[in-house]
């Protein structure tokens, strides 16, 4: 008899309570995203795949000085400098091996030309290793970004000392 | 100040001073900078260079000296007795900080695009001593070329030099080095104040044969070269110590290489005070580019149906086995001959000798493919003169230096600079005695230009005048007088073109000198009368006792000529070398030894049927092209090993790709007899192999074995190098007969074939940078001769000799002042050696204008 009562209790009391939770969540905002169709906006300082910035006139900022490659702890940046038709230095080859990259952002910090930035791109699944090597063509932005939030971080501050302030 | 520096090193006067609490005793005249360096205290500096006089331009080397009210520049302050110096006090540090701050006022912060980044003195010293900020907020001064206003600050001021005046910190090192060390005036400082700029002289360009050094000593990136421009960052490269392969003195170099790419990026100097003072010639600096060249031979080639086709090593070796084996079996090994380049290392040379003498049992080998009528006896006077000891560092210790029959800037760049140093820093006196006016003359006390072909008369003249003026020991004088032709000084003067006063000046200089350096060069070595000239030199040496108080030698031209001589690579090696070889091998071929001339002659007669050349290019360099080509075309089976396709490889039945000197470890013996090792920088490119490997492979194909292993080879070479290779001069004075030479009618201008100042041998034309300096043959003549013919600079000129004719542009030399023609032999586009005749004493040509 006791077993029958317990079973009935489950059906008529516990289950509606459980269903109520489900019913409640039907009207709540979902926690998950409809991922491939919808994407979560990243935090401004999120460090995803790097991109290469341009000057306002459209020319490449990177001069292939090699400081990002020197700063890189994972040794994932490879570049080859060359001379363009104006006689200026530019990166003929610029490659980042994203399988090695640890997204530490040292390259961004080391860059004296404000050319390389950690971007928000994080989707790099692929079925072969070669696709993880990002070349300059992949990383160079089409147009210079006017609303780059990071640019403010790199504004140079020049201290001007008053006469005699540094004495002693 | 500079007067003090000029004092001879021999000054024994010393001073004792205290630097940073350490006492040190140095010769008087040593700067505080150098004294500190001796006890390991490094004082930072931009403008100071160990081999130049101090100027104190950069003020970076401030030190505090007790009892002096202000900071002093240590490079231009001489150490004195009881001086107490502090190099790292608070005041000094503040002073240096201020200097860096001032230096950076106008220095652009373009390190990311600057080639010097990573090895820049200013970068390093700013890091060590400077502020991390500047108090000078105003705009930086910027030099802008009007026509290139918005693009570019760089200026090309020479074939290989790029100048960025904004980066220049005005240390004047380049201008000083150019003037003091190289004697060139093509770069200078112009304007004044903050507008001061370093630039090429107006209308000129920096193209002297040492211009690469200016880039190397620039402490910032103001002078950079096109060769290293934007190639790679210096911290990504590795350095390998090596030896220059283009000169006889074996200047020390450093290769900058990258392992993954198997690529040599550049060459810089590796200062070795005993040899090179840290200066390199452009040939050394840019000649390395041949290592990376795309046009190198990539695979072996085999001639099939009159055409050379690519083949594998196995196929090529099989062909060699078939043909060489056939010749060896049917006609004997004596029908096989070989010529090797004296620029190869000891192991290659020795393997070559062993291959011929033990496997082929033939004595037909030589290493001098660009001399004609070489002596065919073991102890010819020329061989003796060439074997004499010579020390490069003794040049600057000599008070009298005589350069005889040598155009140093075309042959021995390093010795050229050493002589300049001896004059500028040690007050030596130089006499330049040559058949034509040479560049060395501008530092010479007097330049003597004798008529070409009268070399031995000049030496005899010096001896005769010395005897006449009783400058020498009378018993020796009497002995000599009976031996040489009794020509009166007046007749001698008429024949040689030198006046009696000039002979007297030379004789007095040699007899009164404390230490003499007598340099004899290629003009004598290439002369057919080299034995006679060397006999005269022997007399001169004995009469004045030159070697008792100095040195006299014919300098060897190539990287390992001395090694080749020591290892017995000539057909007639020294007797002791022959004995040692007999001991090591247990056998030595007793057939007739044949040198280059004899071999080519026998090729024509089809007595030599197989021939192997290794790195040598007799077709281009042998001084009679038609003779060499006739010979090589008659050879049944020609094997040529070289880095590039050359005139000789074109004729070859089998061509084997040879390694460059950067691709294996090798020992080289320089003209002093010093053994130096060039380390392997990169792996052999393409399918090339080192010469010693090729020799071993050929030997194994023929069923023999040269060496059990590397150690055996090294031991055998070691045994040979231990031998004393200096041959004694003859005991007695030698008889020299004067014979009248008939001049060739119709060919009035004497011709000299030599190297271009920017090229050496037949390989450097593959280096793009060197081609920027000079890319085709020319005929260099004096202003007077050009006016006589009626040509201007650059006009085509027909050069005719009894045997050949070429058309080359005229080049008016600023130096030449007599009627001679000089043509470089380094360019394959012009068959220069076709003008030469093997049997002629003085080559002469007829120059005519090409009418449009």
């Amino acid at each position: 008899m006791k077993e029958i009562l317990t079973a009935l209790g489950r059906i008529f009391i516990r289950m509606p309570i459980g269903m109520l939770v489900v019913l409640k969540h039907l009207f709540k905002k979902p926690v998950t995203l409809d991922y491939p169709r919808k994407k979560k906006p990243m935090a401004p300082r999120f460090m995803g795949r790097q991109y290469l910035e341009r000057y306002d006139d459209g020319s490449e900022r990177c001069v292939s000085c090699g400081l990002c490659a020197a700063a890189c702890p994972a040794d994932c940046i490879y570049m080859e400098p060359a001379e363009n038709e104006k006689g200026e230095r530019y990166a003929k080859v610029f490659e980042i091996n994203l399988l090695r990259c640890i997204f530490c952002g040292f390259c961004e910090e080391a860059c004296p030309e404000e050319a390389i930035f950690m971007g928000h791109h994080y989707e790099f699944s692929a079925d072969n290793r070669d696709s993880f090597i990002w070349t300059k063509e992949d990383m160079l932005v089409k147009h210079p970004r006017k609303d780059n939030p990071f640019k403010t971080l790199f504004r140079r501050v020049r201290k001007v000392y008053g006469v005699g302030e540094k004495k002693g | 100040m500079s007067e003090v520096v000029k004092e001879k090193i021999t000054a024994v006067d010393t001073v004792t001073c205290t630097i940073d609490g350490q006492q040190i005793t140095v010769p008087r005249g040593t700067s505080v900078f150098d004294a500190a360096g001796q006890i390991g205290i490094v004082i930072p500096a931009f403008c100071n260079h160990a081999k130049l006089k101090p100027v104190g331009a950069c003020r970076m080397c401030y030190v505090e000296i007790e009892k002096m009210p202000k900071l002093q520049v240590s490079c231009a302050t001489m150490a004195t007795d009881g001086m107490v110096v502090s190099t790292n006090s608070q005041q000094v540090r503040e002073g240096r900080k201020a200097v860096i701050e001032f230096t950076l006022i106008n220095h652009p912060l373009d390190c990311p695009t600057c080639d010097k980044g990573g090895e820049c003195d200013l970068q390093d010293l700013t890091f060590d001593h400077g502020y991390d900020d500047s108090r000078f907020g105003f705009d930086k001064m910027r030099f802008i070329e009007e026509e290139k206003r918005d693009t570019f600050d760089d200026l090309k001021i020479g074939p290989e030099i790029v100048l960025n005046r904004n980066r220049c910190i005005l240390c004047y090192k380049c201008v000083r080095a150019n003037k003091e060390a190289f004697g060139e005036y093509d770069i200078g400082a112009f304007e004044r104040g903050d507008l001061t700029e370093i630039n090429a002289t107006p209308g000129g360009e920096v193209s002297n044969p040492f211009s690469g050094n200016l880039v190397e000593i620039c402490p910032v990136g103001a002078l950079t070269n096109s060769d290293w421009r934007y190639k790679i960052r210096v911290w990504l490269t590795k350095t390998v110590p090596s030896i220059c392969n283009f000169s006889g003195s074996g200047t020390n170099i450093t290769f900058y290489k990258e392992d993954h790419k198997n690529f040599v990026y550049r060459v810089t100097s590796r200062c070795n005070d005993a040899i090179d003072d840290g200066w390199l010639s452009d040939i050394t600096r840019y000649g390395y580019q041949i290592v990376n060249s795309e046009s190198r031979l990539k695979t072996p080639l085999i001639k099939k149906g009159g055409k050379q086709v690519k083949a594998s090593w196995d196929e090529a070796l099989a062909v060699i086995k078939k043909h060489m084996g056939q010749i060896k079996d049917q006609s004997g090994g004596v029908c096989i001959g070989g010529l090797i380049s004296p620029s190869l290392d000891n192991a290659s040379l020795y393997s070559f000798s062993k291959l011929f003498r033990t496997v082929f049992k033939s004595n037909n080998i030589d290493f001098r493919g660009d001399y004609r009528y070489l002596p065919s006896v073991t102890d010819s006077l020329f061989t003796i003169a060439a074997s004499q000891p010579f020390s490069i560092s003794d040049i600057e210790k000599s008070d009298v230096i005589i350069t005889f029959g040598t155009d140093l800037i075309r042959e021995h760049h390093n010795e050229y600079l050493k002589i300049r140093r001896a004059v500028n820093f040690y007050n030596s006196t130089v006499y330049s005695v040559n058949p034509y006016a040479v560049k060395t003359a501008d530092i010479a006390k007097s330049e003597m230009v004798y008529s070409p072909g009268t070399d031995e008369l000049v030496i005899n003249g010096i001896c005769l005048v010395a005897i006449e003026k009783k400058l020498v020991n009378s018993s020796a004088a009497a002995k000599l007088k009976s031996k040489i032709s009794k020509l009166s000084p007046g007749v001698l003067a008429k024949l040689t073109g030198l006046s009696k006063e000039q002979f007297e000046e030379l004789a007095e200089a040699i007899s009164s000198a404390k230490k003499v350096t007598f340099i004899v060069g290629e003009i004598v070595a290439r002369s057919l009368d080299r034995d006679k000239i060397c006999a005269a030199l022997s007399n001169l040496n004995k009469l004045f006792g030159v070697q008792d108080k100095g040195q006299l030698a014919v300098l060897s031209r190539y990287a390992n000529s001395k090694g080749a001589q020591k290892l017995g690579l000539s057909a007639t090696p020294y007797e002791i070398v022959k004995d040692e070889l007999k001991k090591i091998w247990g056998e030595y071929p007793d057939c007739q030894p044949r040198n280059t001339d004899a071999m080519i002659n026998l090729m024509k007669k089809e007595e030599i049927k197989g021939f192997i050349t290794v790195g040598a290019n007799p077709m281009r360099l042998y001084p009679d092209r038609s003779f060499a080509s006739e010979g090589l075309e008659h050879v049944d089976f020609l094997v040529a090993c070289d880095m590039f396709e050359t005139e000789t490889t074109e004729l070859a039945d089998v061509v084997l790709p040879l390694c460059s000197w950067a691709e294996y470890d090798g020992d080289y013996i320089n003209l002093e007899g010093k053994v130096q090792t060039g380390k392997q920088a990169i792996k052999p490119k393409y399918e090339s192999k080192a010469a010693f490997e090729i020799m071993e492979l050929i030997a194994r194909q023929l069923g023999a074995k040269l060496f059990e292993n590397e150690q055996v080879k090294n031991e055998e070479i070691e045994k040979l190098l231990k031998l004393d290779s200096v041959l004694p001069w003859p005991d007695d004075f030698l008889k020299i007969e004067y014979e009248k030479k008939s001049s060739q009618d119709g060919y009035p201008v004497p011709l000299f074939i030599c190297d271009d100042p920017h090229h050496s041998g037949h390989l450097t034309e593959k280096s793009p940078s060197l081609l920027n300096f000079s890319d085709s043959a020319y005929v260099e003549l004096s202003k007077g001769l050009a006016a006589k013919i009626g040509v201007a600079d650059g006009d085509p000129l027909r050069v005719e000799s009894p045997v050949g004719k070429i058309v080359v542009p005229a080049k008016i030399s600023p130096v030449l002042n007599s009627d001679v023609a000089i043509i470089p032999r380094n360019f394959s586009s012009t068959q220069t050696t076709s003008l030469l005749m093997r049997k002629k004493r003085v080559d002469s040509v007829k120059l005519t204008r090409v009418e449009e």
Side-chain angles (χ1 to χ4, degrees):
Chain A
M1 192 63 198
K2 202 181 168 188
E3 282 105 37
I4 294 169
L5 279 176
T6 322
L8 284 174
R10 270 188 196 148
I11 292 165
F12 294 106
I13 303 167
R14 301 270 174 180
M15 217 152 101
I17 292 173
M19 293 308 283
L20 244 162
V21 174
V22 174
L23 204 71
K24 216 160 73 187
H25 277 273
L26 258 181
F27 302 102
K28 266 194 180 171
K29 215 182 149 198
V31 192
T32 55
L33 275 179
D34 185 10
Y35 168 60
R37 282 174 287 277
K38 274 185 191 167
K39 283 173 190 174
K40 194 183 167 193
M42 303 311 292
R45 294 190 177 191
F46 175 77
M47 298 203 285
R49 192 258 295 160
Q50 296 87 340
Y51 66 88
L52 292 169
E53 188 54 278
R54 285 179 192 271
Y55 278 110
D56 289 345
D57 65 356
S59 54
E60 295 165 19
R61 273 176 169 267
C62 177
V63 295
S64 188
C65 70
L67 288 192
C68 49
C72 182
D75 209 2
C76 69
I77 306 180
Y78 172 77
M79 63 179 70
E80 263 178 40
E83 196 174 352
N84 69 9
E85 61 281 357
K86 277 188 198 166
E88 294 165 339
R89 187 181 171 115
Y90 80 109
K92 191 171 76 183
V93 178
F94 190 103
E95 289 173 358
I96 294 186
N97 186 346
L98 288 178
L99 286 175
R100 282 181 155 221
C101 181
I102 56 167
F103 305 99
C104 64
F106 279 12
C107 46
E108 181 184 3
E109 254 176 72
C111 184
E113 297 286 327
E114 292 162 33
I116 192 167
F117 290 97
M118 302 303 284
H120 289 176
H121 184 89
Y122 50 83
E123 297 152 308
F124 7 84
S125 55
D127 55 5
N128 62 328
R129 285 175 169 267
D130 285 351
S131 336
F132 286 94
I133 293 171
W134 283 68
T135 61
K136 195 175 91 172
E137 286 69 39
D138 302 326
M139 285 186 289
L140 198 62
V141 292
K142 294 274 179 305
H143 308 287
R145 284 166 75 159
K146 296 249 161 58
D147 57 335
N148 191 341
F150 296 101
K151 269 190 175 172
T152 52
L153 290 176
F154 286 89
R155 196 194 296 138
R156 289 228 167 80
V157 185
R158 167 165 285 160
K159 280 184 229 154
V160 182
Y161 295 109
V163 180
E165 205 184 299
K166 266 257 170 177
K167 246 184 190 169
Chain B
M1 260 169 271
S2 55
E3 286 306 308
V4 188
V5 181
K6 271 186 174 180
E7 270 182 31
K8 289 265 173 193
I9 277 182
T10 47
V12 282
D13 201 5
T14 57
V15 292
T16 306
C17 58
T18 314
I19 301 174
D20 285 353
Q22 293 182 58
Q23 275 218 336
I24 178 172
T25 306
V26 289
R28 188 177 293 279
T30 310
S31 66
V32 175
F33 188 95
D34 292 340
Q38 285 179 22
I39 44 175
I41 297 170
V42 179
I43 300 175
F46 295 117
C47 72
N48 195 37
H49 190 279
K51 305 291 173 191
L52 300 176
K53 292 167 193 167
V55 287
C58 72
R59 321 304 289 178
M60 190 62 203
C61 59
Y62 273 149
V63 290
E64 198 180 341
I65 299 174
E66 268 181 24
K67 295 177 192 160
M68 287 204 184
K70 288 183 178 175
L71 296 177
Q72 299 294 315
V73 280
S74 59
C75 66
T77 310
M78 299 308 143
T80 53
D81 252 332
M83 197 182 237
V84 180
V85 183
S86 145
T87 67
N88 205 16
S89 66
Q90 176 66 21
Q91 203 191 346
V92 170
R93 284 201 298 274
E94 285 289 318
R96 281 181 195 156
K97 240 180 200 183
V99 169
I100 290 277
E101 202 179 2
F102 276 129
T103 309
L104 287 174
I105 289 179
N106 280 328
H107 189 85
L109 296 176
D110 61 350
C111 304
T113 54
C114 178
D115 266 333
K116 200 79 177 182
E119 49 172 1
C120 172
D121 288 356
L122 185 58
Q123 236 179 11
D124 297 346
L125 294 183
T126 306
F127 201 75
D128 291 347
H129 302 276
Y131 288 109
D132 54 359
D133 215 317
S134 173
R135 288 174 286 176
F136 299 93
F138 46 81
D139 285 350
K140 291 189 183 225
M141 163 93 198
R142 191 174 169 208
F143 288 95
I144 298 173
E145 284 298 291
E146 279 303 319
E147 61 267 26
K148 298 177 183 171
R149 180 171 283 280
D150 50 332
T151 53
F152 203 36
D153 300 337
D154 291 1
L155 268 182
K156 209 164 170 142
I157 58 166
E160 278 298 309
I161 296 193
V162 179
L163 167 73
N164 186 322
R165 289 165 293 173
N166 300 325
R167 293 179 192 148
C168 178
I169 59 166
L170 297 175
C171 67
Y172 304 108
K173 232 195 228 174
C174 48
V175 183
R176 283 151 57 211
N178 222 21
K179 192 177 110 195
E180 290 171 22
F182 318 141
E184 302 280 347
Y185 296 87
D186 45 13
I187 193 168
F190 301 92
E191 300 290 339
R192 52 190 299 182
D194 64 347
L195 288 171
T196 314
E197 57 169 298
I198 300 289
N199 211 330
T201 41
E205 56 173 15
V206 186
S207 60
N208 67 64
F210 308 98
S211 59
N213 292 305
L214 308 181
V215 175
E216 195 181 319
I217 61 172
C218 183
V220 289
L223 292 169
T224 49
N225 60 21
S226 319
D227 167 40
W228 172 250
R229 191 171 176 79
Y230 303 161
K231 252 187 186 170
I232 193 172
R233 280 302 184 188
V234 69
W235 60 78
L236 298 174
T237 57
K238 281 184 193 152
T239 57
V240 180
S242 187
I243 303 297
C244 167
N245 203 247
F246 299 109
S247 68
S249 40
T251 38
N252 292 197
I253 59 171
T254 307
F255 281 123
Y256 284 67
K257 56 125 181 191
E258 217 269 317
D259 283 340
H260 299 299
K261 290 206 166 165
N262 204 30
F263 198 84
V264 181
Y265 281 90
R266 70 165 174 185
V267 160
T268 63
S269 68
R270 182 159 59 89
C271 183
N272 180 345
D273 281 352
I275 296 175
D276 57 19
D277 283 342
W279 307 123
L280 297 184
S281 70
D282 283 355
I283 301 172
T284 316
R285 190 176 300 274
Y286 303 122
Y288 83 92
Q289 290 175 357
I290 63 171
V291 175
N292 301 325
S293 178
E294 276 296 310
S295 57
R296 269 180 69 171
L297 280 170
K298 297 189 173 76
T299 55
L301 304 174
I302 298 176
K303 200 175 242 174
K304 270 183 190 159
K307 239 178 106 185
Q308 285 178 345
V309 290
K310 283 184 181 175
S312 69
W313 270 96
D314 289 340
E315 288 167 345
L317 287 170
V319 175
I320 293 175
K321 182 184 180 182
K322 187 180 151 208
H323 287 91
M324 282 294 175
Q326 211 171 15
I327 295 171
K328 193 180 156 215
D329 296 340
Q330 288 172 2
S331 326
V334 281
C335 291
I336 300 172
L339 186 61
I340 192 164
S341 155
S343 298
L344 292 167
D345 66 311
N346 282 345
S348 301
L349 293 172
Y350 182 65
S351 307
F352 188 76
S353 159
K354 194 165 182 183
L355 174 75
F356 273 83
R357 292 195 167 125
T358 63
V359 180
F360 297 141
K361 311 231 183 318
S362 143
N363 250 335
N364 307 338
I365 63 168
D366 209 336
F367 66 97
R368 294 172 295 195
D370 51 351
Y371 299 102
R372 46 193 163 165
Y373 267 112
L374 276 168
S376 50
V377 286
T378 320
D379 51 353
S380 75
L381 283 157
F382 174 66
T383 326
I384 294 174
S387 77
Q388 294 308 309
F390 189 82
S391 155
I392 295 171
S393 54
D394 275 0
I395 294 178
E396 54 192 32
K397 291 177 195 151
S398 311
D399 48 352
V400 170
I401 301 165
I402 295 168
T403 63
F404 177 72
T406 174
D407 191 352
L408 287 171
I409 204 162
R410 292 167 188 276
E411 298 160 12
H412 299 286
H413 294 82
N414 185 39
E415 286 63 39
Y416 173 78
L417 295 183
K418 276 281 178 190
I419 289 177
R420 295 206 88 91
R421 187 171 164 75
V423 173
N424 288 338
F425 289 82
Y426 301 101
N427 288 340
S428 308
T429 317
V430 175
Y431 295 92
S432 162
V433 190
N434 284 301
Y436 56 84
V438 294
K439 182 78 178 62
T440 330
D442 61 346
I443 42 159
K445 190 177 172 206
S446 58
E447 178 178 31
M448 301 168 194
V449 179
Y450 58 82
S451 333
T454 58
D455 316 59
E456 77 273 13
L457 288 182
V458 174
I459 303 286
N460 282 354
I462 299 172
C463 298
L464 279 178
V465 170
I467 295 168
E468 202 172 275
K469 293 206 79 184
K470 300 200 168 58
L471 293 170
V472 287
N473 177 330
S474 56
S475 67
K479 259 189 220 163
L480 177 61
K481 214 161 175 197
S482 63
K483 291 287 171 77
I484 44 183
S485 326
K486 287 162 200 72
L487 293 169
S488 73
V491 177
L492 272 177
K494 204 174 152 207
L495 286 169
T496 59
L498 296 183
S499 70
K500 200 186 164 201
E501 288 72 40
Q502 283 174 315
F503 281 125
E504 278 170 14
E505 195 182 345
L506 275 174
E508 270 165 25
I510 302 176
S511 59
S512 63
K514 288 191 197 80
K515 198 169 170 71
V516 197
T517 292
F518 201 108
I519 294 176
V520 185
E522 288 293 281
I523 296 174
V524 170
R526 294 219 175 100
S527 163
L528 289 196
D529 276 350
R530 51 175 91 75
D531 270 346
K532 211 180 231 180
I533 303 168
C534 290
L537 285 171
S538 163
N539 289 348
L540 177 110
N541 181 31
K542 200 147 280 138
L543 189 66
F544 288 96
V546 175
Q547 283 192 324
D548 303 332
K549 56 174 184 179
Q551 48 189 354
L552 183 154
V554 178
L555 299 192
S556 48
R557 171 71 185 81
Y558 297 100
N560 206 9
S561 304
K562 205 91 183 181
Q565 199 59 268
K566 278 191 170 189
L567 295 170
L569 254 289
S570 63
T572 49
Y574 302 154
E575 286 299 332
I576 39 168
V577 175
K578 209 191 254 178
D579 295 341
E580 185 68 33
L581 287 176
K582 222 177 263 177
K583 222 186 286 170
I584 297 171
W585 298 336
E587 57 173 336
Y588 187 88
D590 48 5
C591 57
Q592 179 91 19
R594 277 163 188 139
N595 58 19
T596 317
D597 294 271
M599 280 192 283
I600 299 178
N601 235 336
L602 289 180
M603 281 184 225
K604 269 165 85 176
K605 289 178 196 155
E606 298 193 358
E607 275 177 42
I608 284 189
K609 291 177 179 149
F611 198 64
I612 303 180
T613 65
V614 182
N617 186 1
M619 276 293 278
R620 169 102 62 86
L621 299 181
Y622 185 79
D624 188 338
R625 193 183 170 100
S626 57
F627 179 67
S629 72
E630 252 176 71
L632 289 170
E633 274 160 15
H634 276 92
V635 174
D636 286 348
F637 187 66
L638 176 63
V639 180
C641 314
D642 211 316
M643 282 172 68
F644 294 94
E645 282 184 39
T646 64
E647 292 88 336
T648 308
T649 61
E650 263 169 36
L651 300 173
D653 297 284
V654 176
V655 182
L656 302 174
L658 197 65
C659 277
S660 69
W661 81 109
E663 290 158 352
Y664 56 87
D665 287 354
D667 289 350
Y668 302 86
I669 303 181
N670 75 353
L671 52 83
E672 295 179 295
K674 193 178 199 172
V675 186
Q676 301 184 99
T677 307
K679 289 268 175 218
Q680 178 181 18
I682 55 173
K683 290 192 273 309
K685 287 216 166 199
Y686 313 116
E687 287 182 30
S688 62
K689 282 191 200 307
F692 54 85
E693 286 177 272
I694 297 177
M695 296 307 124
E696 183 73 60
L697 284 172
I698 294 177
R700 299 217 171 174
Q701 287 293 325
L702 298 169
K705 202 186 249 181
L706 291 186
F707 306 103
E708 283 298 329
N709 52 43
E710 193 125 324
Q711 207 189 340
V712 176
K713 179 170 73 188
N714 293 342
E715 275 167 11
E716 289 182 12
I717 293 173
E718 199 82 334
K719 272 183 205 160
L720 286 167
L721 295 188
K722 264 186 207 149
L723 301 175
D724 178 25
S725 63
V726 177
L727 300 180
W729 290 103
D731 290 330
D732 205 9
F733 285 107
L734 296 159
K735 207 171 172 74
I736 301 162
E737 287 296 331
Y738 167 67
E739 34 178 295
K740 211 163 175 223
K741 278 130 202 162
S742 57
S743 61
Q744 188 97 26
D745 290 332
Y747 300 95
V749 185
L751 170 74
F752 289 93
I753 301 275
C754 46
D755 286 320
D756 183 273
H758 279 100
H759 288 275
S760 168
H762 72 288
L763 291 177
T764 49
E765 65 165 342
K766 307 286 179 188
S767 155
S769 287
L770 291 177
L771 288 184
N772 288 342
F773 286 98
S774 125
D775 61 354
S776 60
Y778 50 81
V779 48
E780 203 168 324
L781 25 100
S782 66
K783 219 172 181 176
L785 184 59
K788 224 186 282 172
I789 305 164
V791 286
D793 207 12
D795 287 355
L797 200 56
R798 187 183 294 116
V799 186
E800 271 174 278
S801 82
V803 284
K805 184 172 81 177
I806 58 171
V807 177
V808 280
K811 184 175 164 187
I812 293 170
S813 159
V815 184
L816 289 180
N817 55 15
S818 56
D819 285 2
V820 290
I822 300 174
I823 306 182
R825 57 179 187 161
N826 313 86
F827 305 102
S828 55
S829 51
T830 311
Q831 303 184 351
T832 316
T833 44
S834 65
L835 292 174
L836 299 178
M837 264 160 83
R838 197 165 70 97
K839 289 181 180 168
K840 239 163 111 206
R841 168 71 212 255
V842 181
D843 301 293
S844 53
V845 287
K846 184 167 75 183
L847 302 172
T848 42
R849 230 175 99 184
V850 178
E851 299 297 339
E852 295 296 326

